[in-house]
C-alpha cells in the first residue's frame, strides 16, 4: 500500500498531491457532498446508470475545478479571490483637475 506524505515541515501548510491547505477542505467537502447527493437520488428511485453518470461527472468537475483553482490562485488564492468584492473598482476624486497639480510649500 502506498504511503503519502501529508505535511512537508513545521510551519508550512498541509499539502496532499499538490493541493494546498484550503483546497483540501474544498475537495474533501465537495466529494462528500457529491456522495450524499448520489445516495439521495439513488434512494429516491432514479435509475442506477443515471446516478453513476451523475456521480462520475460531478466528481470529475470537482476534481478539475479544485486543481484548476489551486494552480491559478495558489495557497491563499481563495481568500484573495473572495476579498475582491471588498475592494472598490474605481477611486473617485471629486476635486477639480487644476487643484490636483497645485504646488504646496
Amino acid at each position: 500500500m502506498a504511503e503519502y506524505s501529508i505535511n512537508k515541515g513545521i510551519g508550512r501548510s498541509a499539502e496532499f498531491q499538490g493541493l494546498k491547505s484550503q483546497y483540501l477542505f474544498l475537495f474533501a467537502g465537495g466529494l462528500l457532498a457529491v456522495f450524499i447527493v448520489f445516495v439521495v437520488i439513488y434512494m429516491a428511485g432514479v435509475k442506477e446508470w443515471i446516478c453513476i453518470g451523475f456521480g462520475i461527472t460531478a466528481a470529475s468537475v470537482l476534481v478539475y475545478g479544485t486543481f484548476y483553482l489551486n494552480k491559478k490562485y495558489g495557497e491563499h488564492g481563495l481568500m484573495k479571490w473572495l476579498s475582491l468584492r471588498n475592494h472598490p473598482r474605481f477611486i473617485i476624486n471629486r476635486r477639480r483637475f487644476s487643484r490636483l497639480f497645485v504646488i504646496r510649500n
Side-chain angles (χ1 to χ4, degrees):
M1 185 168 192
E3 291 186 22
Y4 298 103
S5 63
I6 292 184
N7 210 350
K8 300 241 179 197
I10 297 173
R12 295 178 112 185
S13 62
E15 180 181 345
F16 180 72
Q17 297 292 318
L19 287 178
K20 302 282 183 175
S21 57
Q22 59 193 356
Y23 299 103
L24 285 172
F25 295 114
L26 180 68
F27 184 69
L31 284 180
L32 182 64
V34 167
F35 177 71
I36 289 173
V37 170
F38 173 82
V39 169
V40 167
I41 63 174
Y42 182 75
M43 297 298 284
V46 178
K47 290 187 179 183
E48 184 177 316
W49 287 106
I50 294 174
C51 294
I52 292 172
F54 165 76
I56 290 173
T57 305
S60 299
V61 167
L62 177 74
V63 168
Y64 174 76
T66 306
F67 277 94
Y68 173 76
L69 288 173
N70 185 44
K71 183 179 177 185
K72 182 175 182 181
Y73 293 112
E75 183 176 354
H76 302 290
L78 284 181
M79 291 183 287
K80 292 177 186 177
W81 183 66
L82 290 173
S83 71
L84 284 178
R85 287 185 250 161
N86 297 330
H87 293 284
R89 288 183 149 213
F90 304 103
I91 297 175
I92 299 173
N93 192 342
R94 305 225 182 257
R95 289 185 173 187
R96 290 190 325 235
F97 185 73
S98 61
R99 291 208 21 120
L100 292 175
F101 299 105
V102 174
I103 299 173
R104 296 183 186 172
N105 292 329

